[in-house]
């Protein structure tokens, strides 16, 4: 059974940090681009970051550049999103997604999705 399972979300104060994990089962992440998307209440799902499988290139939306870091550990079949200096506007449900093709900010381009995990940044 193909699955992506996110973990590591929760409640954090502004300026704090969280590390999200995305564990894959039923397939190997080695040959997939991995992205993180998020969706806040009343807003569209937006791409946050992506890491390619070809050369490990990473991409970030401007609003998280310099604060978030995406990585992957193919040996553990897991991808990560380290989130530092969190802001209230980072509050959203975060999803990881896998694409056989390439990184894209369009959610339609992804083959597999996790169920999502809540991240809340509040004092």
């Amino acid at each position: 059974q193909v699955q992506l399972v996110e973990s590591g979300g929760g409640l954090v104060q502004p300026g704090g940090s969280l590390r999200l994990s995305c564990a894959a089962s039923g397939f190997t992440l080695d040959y997939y681009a991995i992205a993180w998307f998020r969706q806040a209440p009343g807003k569209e799902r937006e791409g946050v970051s992506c890491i390619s499988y070809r050369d490990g290139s990473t991409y970030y939306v401007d609003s998280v550049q310099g604060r978030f870091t995406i990585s992957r550990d193919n040996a553990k079949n897991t991808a990560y999103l380290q989130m530092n200096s969190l802001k209230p506007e980072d509050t959203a449900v975060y999803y990881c997604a896998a694409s056989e093709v390439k990184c894209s900010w369009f959610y339609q381009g992804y083959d597999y999705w996790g169920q999502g995990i809540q991240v809340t940044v509040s004092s």
Side-chain angles (χ1 to χ4, degrees):
Q1 182 182 3
V2 171
Q3 268 191 316
L4 289 172
V5 178
E6 301 97 337
S7 61
L11 173 64
V12 64
Q13 291 187 341
S17 298
L18 284 174
R19 188 176 81 154
L20 303 183
S21 298
C22 173
S25 60
F27 71 107
T28 303
L29 282 182
D30 297 36
Y31 302 107
Y32 287 80
I34 304 299
W36 288 92
F37 285 76
R38 67 185 179 187
Q39 188 165 19
K43 294 188 176 182
E44 292 188 354
R45 190 171 299 189
E46 67 164 346
V48 174
S49 183
C50 189
I51 183 167
S52 74
Y53 71 87
R54 297 180 188 276
D55 58 5
S57 296
T58 57
Y59 307 90
Y60 301 93
V61 69
D62 287 347
S63 60
V64 308
Q65 182 75 46
R67 300 189 297 123
F68 290 12
T69 303
I70 191 171
S71 62
R72 62 194 301 156
D73 186 337
N74 289 341
K76 294 183 178 180
N77 219 27
T78 301
Y80 304 95
L81 185 69
Q82 177 68 43
M83 306 186 295
N84 298 329
S85 304
L86 282 161
K87 305 175 181 180
E89 50 264 43
D90 295 318
T91 295
V93 176
Y94 283 71
Y95 300 87
C96 65
S99 169
E100 281 189 288
V101 181
K102 63 179 181 179
C103 282
S104 170
W105 294 133
F106 296 101
Y107 63 85
Q108 296 92 333
Y110 289 83
D111 303 290
Y112 305 121
W113 287 86
Q115 81 287 354
I117 192 162
Q118 179 70 44
V119 170
T120 302
V121 184
S122 175
S123 55

